[in-house]
Amino acid sequence: MRWDNLAETPASSGSAALFRTSAVTTRTFDTPEFRGITFHEVRARSILNRVPGASRMPFEWTVNPYRGCSHACVYCFARKTHSYLDLDTGIGFDSQIVVKINAPELLRRQLASRQWQGAHIAMGTNVDCYQRAEGRYRLMPGIISALRDHANPFSILTKGTLILRDLDLLRQAAEVTEVGVSVSVGFTDRELWRTVEPGTPSPERRLDAVRTLTDHGIGCGVLMAPVIPFLGDRPDQLRATVRAIAEAGATSVTPLVLHLRPGAREWFMAWLREHHPHLVARYERLYAEGAYAPRWYQRRITRHVHELAAEFGIGPSSRPGGHRRLPVRGEPGTAPADEPTQLTLL
């Protein structure tokens, strides 16, 4: 998808500068949380994205109100997508944020279309819909309201604690449709967090969000991602993370080993050379065959995490895109048993 496709009125093909089009408004805000970040506001032509058939995603449709992400995770697989808009996949991905300001109204219109069949919609699978920008632009309340009003099933994956702002809307939606929520916490090592996820809330704060969601009837799973080889995969690190996830009341834990796609790979390896140069050769060997760690390594991590989860009283998710639905008020009978929640990126 190219930049012009984001706009309701595409720029002329001869335009020399990417942002010199009436369809784009560029803003900066001189506040500490947004210092150094540029926002490019666009009015999108479509907000429902069909996932390619060859994808490993366990869902077919996504909604992404933002492009680029101030979480600045050095390993983020979505970095490559910034190049589709002729934007930098390194610092530019962290600081040049595209905001689809008409996302809520556009989604409501598309959900009302006779062609729409009410399929599950996943959010947070490209960049985080609860990243810092959401505090200013507040796109998610309108998006969740539209999904609620059309009783359309959806799921959210996030590292952002801002999701708690929309807790009441999530509860309302869960009364009429299937809602899945997962929070991403790959590790609890604070030093590792500060260096690889510098723009995110701390793992402790994210697990507090899991606890709050669960306490309010929104069953929340944890995507334990990424497990970072040689930095976050020691047995004691895995044990500490799974223990913390269990203590937060997560309905499930699903481990996912770091993968390094083009775009993310170059950025991550540059970071590794600077911070852990002794690991560069080991990474080159481990990822010699491509973006994914060898299956034997992935299976070892998965088996270990599942054993720890069983020890601490939580189980791995068994159904991609699983959900927990709250009982409708006044509905006869007992509430359904809790089901594991999972939303994977792959």
PDB file of all heavy atoms in Angstrom, residues 179-195:
ATOM      1  N   VAL A 179     -15.323 -10.571  22.354  1.00  0.00           N
ATOM      2  CA  VAL A 179     -14.225  -9.616  22.521  1.00  0.00           C
ATOM      3  C   VAL A 179     -13.022 -10.347  23.108  1.00  0.00           C
ATOM      4  O   VAL A 179     -13.140 -11.001  24.144  1.00  0.00           O
ATOM      5  CB  VAL A 179     -14.636  -8.449  23.440  1.00  0.00           C
ATOM      6  CG1 VAL A 179     -13.441  -7.534  23.713  1.00  0.00           C
ATOM      7  CG2 VAL A 179     -15.792  -7.661  22.829  1.00  0.00           C
ATOM      8  N   GLY A 180     -11.894 -10.231  22.451  1.00  0.00           N
ATOM      9  CA  GLY A 180     -10.656 -10.813  22.961  1.00  0.00           C
ATOM     10  C   GLY A 180      -9.638  -9.725  23.234  1.00  0.00           C
ATOM     11  O   GLY A 180      -9.463  -8.811  22.429  1.00  0.00           O
ATOM     12  N   VAL A 181      -8.978  -9.798  24.374  1.00  0.00           N
ATOM     13  CA  VAL A 181      -7.949  -8.826  24.715  1.00  0.00           C
ATOM     14  C   VAL A 181      -6.695  -9.573  25.139  1.00  0.00           C
ATOM     15  O   VAL A 181      -6.756 -10.496  25.953  1.00  0.00           O
ATOM     16  CB  VAL A 181      -8.396  -7.884  25.851  1.00  0.00           C
ATOM     17  CG1 VAL A 181      -7.258  -6.928  26.227  1.00  0.00           C
ATOM     18  CG2 VAL A 181      -9.630  -7.093  25.440  1.00  0.00           C
ATOM     19  N   SER A 182      -5.567  -9.189  24.570  1.00  0.00           N
ATOM     20  CA  SER A 182      -4.273  -9.732  24.966  1.00  0.00           C
ATOM     21  C   SER A 182      -3.296  -8.587  25.172  1.00  0.00           C
ATOM     22  O   SER A 182      -3.313  -7.598  24.439  1.00  0.00           O
ATOM     23  CB  SER A 182      -3.724 -10.682  23.897  1.00  0.00           C
ATOM     24  OG  SER A 182      -4.493 -11.854  23.795  1.00  0.00           O
ATOM     25  N   VAL A 183      -2.458  -8.741  26.158  1.00  0.00           N
ATOM     26  CA  VAL A 183      -1.393  -7.776  26.430  1.00  0.00           C
ATOM     27  C   VAL A 183      -0.056  -8.460  26.162  1.00  0.00           C
ATOM     28  O   VAL A 183       0.137  -9.621  26.522  1.00  0.00           O
ATOM     29  CB  VAL A 183      -1.467  -7.269  27.883  1.00  0.00           C
ATOM     30  CG1 VAL A 183      -0.247  -6.417  28.233  1.00  0.00           C
ATOM     31  CG2 VAL A 183      -2.751  -6.465  28.087  1.00  0.00           C
ATOM     32  N   SER A 184       0.853  -7.750  25.516  1.00  0.00           N
ATOM     33  CA  SER A 184       2.154  -8.308  25.179  1.00  0.00           C
ATOM     34  C   SER A 184       3.168  -8.006  26.279  1.00  0.00           C
ATOM     35  O   SER A 184       3.433  -6.843  26.581  1.00  0.00           O
ATOM     36  CB  SER A 184       2.636  -7.725  23.843  1.00  0.00           C
ATOM     37  OG  SER A 184       3.925  -8.203  23.531  1.00  0.00           O
ATOM     38  N   VAL A 185       3.711  -9.068  26.875  1.00  0.00           N
ATOM     39  CA  VAL A 185       4.767  -8.954  27.888  1.00  0.00           C
ATOM     40  C   VAL A 185       5.746 -10.094  27.632  1.00  0.00           C
ATOM     41  O   VAL A 185       5.491 -11.233  28.010  1.00  0.00           O
ATOM     42  CB  VAL A 185       4.215  -9.043  29.329  1.00  0.00           C
ATOM     43  CG1 VAL A 185       5.346  -8.855  30.345  1.00  0.00           C
ATOM     44  CG2 VAL A 185       3.113  -8.027  29.563  1.00  0.00           C
ATOM     45  N   GLY A 186       6.863  -9.790  26.997  1.00  0.00           N
ATOM     46  CA  GLY A 186       7.816 -10.836  26.648  1.00  0.00           C
ATOM     47  C   GLY A 186       8.775 -11.188  27.761  1.00  0.00           C
ATOM     48  O   GLY A 186       9.347 -12.279  27.770  1.00  0.00           O
ATOM     49  N   PHE A 187       8.949 -10.271  28.721  1.00  0.00           N
ATOM     50  CA  PHE A 187       9.931 -10.464  29.791  1.00  0.00           C
ATOM     51  C   PHE A 187       9.656  -9.433  30.868  1.00  0.00           C
ATOM     52  O   PHE A 187       8.947  -8.440  30.639  1.00  0.00           O
ATOM     53  CB  PHE A 187      11.358 -10.286  29.249  1.00  0.00           C
ATOM     54  CG  PHE A 187      11.484  -9.111  28.319  1.00  0.00           C
ATOM     55  CD1 PHE A 187      11.653  -7.827  28.810  1.00  0.00           C
ATOM     56  CD2 PHE A 187      11.399  -9.291  26.947  1.00  0.00           C
ATOM     57  CE1 PHE A 187      11.746  -6.740  27.953  1.00  0.00           C
ATOM     58  CE2 PHE A 187      11.490  -8.208  26.078  1.00  0.00           C
ATOM     59  CZ  PHE A 187      11.669  -6.932  26.580  1.00  0.00           C
ATOM     60  N   THR A 188      10.210  -9.651  32.040  1.00  0.00           N
ATOM     61  CA  THR A 188      10.048  -8.706  33.146  1.00  0.00           C
ATOM     62  C   THR A 188      11.372  -8.068  33.547  1.00  0.00           C
ATOM     63  O   THR A 188      11.412  -7.275  34.486  1.00  0.00           O
ATOM     64  CB  THR A 188       9.434  -9.397  34.376  1.00  0.00           C
ATOM     65  OG1 THR A 188      10.206 -10.558  34.699  1.00  0.00           O
ATOM     66  CG2 THR A 188       7.995  -9.809  34.094  1.00  0.00           C
ATOM     67  N   ASP A 189      12.440  -8.384  32.844  1.00  0.00           N
ATOM     68  CA  ASP A 189      13.764  -7.808  33.098  1.00  0.00           C
ATOM     69  C   ASP A 189      13.725  -6.314  32.766  1.00  0.00           C
ATOM     70  O   ASP A 189      13.591  -5.921  31.616  1.00  0.00           O
ATOM     71  CB  ASP A 189      14.797  -8.529  32.222  1.00  0.00           C
ATOM     72  CG  ASP A 189      16.222  -8.085  32.518  1.00  0.00           C
ATOM     73  OD1 ASP A 189      16.488  -6.866  32.492  1.00  0.00           O
ATOM     74  OD2 ASP A 189      17.078  -8.960  32.753  1.00  0.00           O
ATOM     75  N   ARG A 190      13.876  -5.468  33.774  1.00  0.00           N
ATOM     76  CA  ARG A 190      13.714  -4.025  33.569  1.00  0.00           C
ATOM     77  C   ARG A 190      14.837  -3.439  32.713  1.00  0.00           C
ATOM     78  O   ARG A 190      14.600  -2.519  31.932  1.00  0.00           O
ATOM     79  CB  ARG A 190      13.644  -3.299  34.927  1.00  0.00           C
ATOM     80  CG  ARG A 190      12.362  -3.584  35.695  1.00  0.00           C
ATOM     81  CD  ARG A 190      12.260  -2.708  36.932  1.00  0.00           C
ATOM     82  NE  ARG A 190      12.164  -1.295  36.629  1.00  0.00           N
ATOM     83  CZ  ARG A 190      11.029  -0.665  36.337  1.00  0.00           C
ATOM     84  NH1 ARG A 190       9.890  -1.336  36.283  1.00  0.00           N
ATOM     85  NH2 ARG A 190      11.034   0.632  36.091  1.00  0.00           N
ATOM     86  N   GLU A 191      16.044  -3.932  32.859  1.00  0.00           N
ATOM     87  CA  GLU A 191      17.142  -3.402  32.059  1.00  0.00           C
ATOM     88  C   GLU A 191      16.939  -3.724  30.585  1.00  0.00           C
ATOM     89  O   GLU A 191      17.178  -2.884  29.704  1.00  0.00           O
ATOM     90  CB  GLU A 191      18.477  -3.971  32.555  1.00  0.00           C
ATOM     91  CG  GLU A 191      19.697  -3.250  31.997  1.00  0.00           C
ATOM     92  CD  GLU A 191      19.715  -1.762  32.355  1.00  0.00           C
ATOM     93  OE1 GLU A 191      19.286  -1.411  33.465  1.00  0.00           O
ATOM     94  OE2 GLU A 191      20.159  -0.968  31.491  1.00  0.00           O
ATOM     95  N   LEU A 192      16.490  -4.929  30.306  1.00  0.00           N
ATOM     96  CA  LEU A 192      16.203  -5.310  28.927  1.00  0.00           C
ATOM     97  C   LEU A 192      15.053  -4.474  28.379  1.00  0.00           C
ATOM     98  O   LEU A 192      15.099  -3.995  27.235  1.00  0.00           O
ATOM     99  CB  LEU A 192      15.861  -6.807  28.856  1.00  0.00           C
ATOM    100  CG  LEU A 192      15.639  -7.394  27.478  1.00  0.00           C
ATOM    101  CD1 LEU A 192      16.864  -7.229  26.590  1.00  0.00           C
ATOM    102  CD2 LEU A 192      15.249  -8.879  27.588  1.00  0.00           C
ATOM    103  N   TRP A 193      14.034  -4.267  29.187  1.00  0.00           N
ATOM    104  CA  TRP A 193      12.887  -3.442  28.761  1.00  0.00           C
ATOM    105  C   TRP A 193      13.332  -2.027  28.382  1.00  0.00           C
ATOM    106  O   TRP A 193      12.912  -1.505  27.344  1.00  0.00           O
ATOM    107  CB  TRP A 193      11.857  -3.379  29.888  1.00  0.00           C
ATOM    108  CG  TRP A 193      10.921  -2.217  29.779  1.00  0.00           C
ATOM    109  CD1 TRP A 193      10.028  -1.963  28.790  1.00  0.00           C
ATOM    110  CD2 TRP A 193      10.834  -1.108  30.695  1.00  0.00           C
ATOM    111  NE1 TRP A 193       9.367  -0.778  29.030  1.00  0.00           N
ATOM    112  CE2 TRP A 193       9.838  -0.236  30.192  1.00  0.00           C
ATOM    113  CE3 TRP A 193      11.478  -0.791  31.891  1.00  0.00           C
ATOM    114  CZ2 TRP A 193       9.493   0.945  30.847  1.00  0.00           C
ATOM    115  CZ3 TRP A 193      11.125   0.380  32.550  1.00  0.00           C
ATOM    116  CH2 TRP A 193      10.145   1.230  32.019  1.00  0.00           C
ATOM    117  N   ARG A 194      14.161  -1.415  29.207  1.00  0.00           N
ATOM    118  CA  ARG A 194      14.572  -0.036  28.941  1.00  0.00           C
ATOM    119  C   ARG A 194      15.303   0.106  27.608  1.00  0.00           C
ATOM    120  O   ARG A 194      15.230   1.154  26.966  1.00  0.00           O
ATOM    121  CB  ARG A 194      15.469   0.471  30.072  1.00  0.00           C
ATOM    122  CG  ARG A 194      14.755   0.738  31.382  1.00  0.00           C
ATOM    123  CD  ARG A 194      15.661   1.477  32.347  1.00  0.00           C
ATOM    124  NE  ARG A 194      15.009   1.689  33.638  1.00  0.00           N
ATOM    125  CZ  ARG A 194      15.198   0.930  34.698  1.00  0.00           C
ATOM    126  NH1 ARG A 194      16.015  -0.113  34.622  1.00  0.00           N
ATOM    127  NH2 ARG A 194      14.580   1.178  35.839  1.00  0.00           N
ATOM    128  N   THR A 195      16.021  -0.922  27.198  1.00  0.00           N
ATOM    129  CA  THR A 195      16.830  -0.801  25.987  1.00  0.00           C
ATOM    130  C   THR A 195      16.114  -1.250  24.731  1.00  0.00           C
ATOM    131  O   THR A 195      16.352  -0.695  23.658  1.00  0.00           O
ATOM    132  CB  THR A 195      18.137  -1.602  26.129  1.00  0.00           C
ATOM    133  OG1 THR A 195      17.835  -2.964  26.420  1.00  0.00           O
ATOM    134  CG2 THR A 195      19.011  -1.017  27.222  1.00  0.00           C
TER     135      THR A 195
END
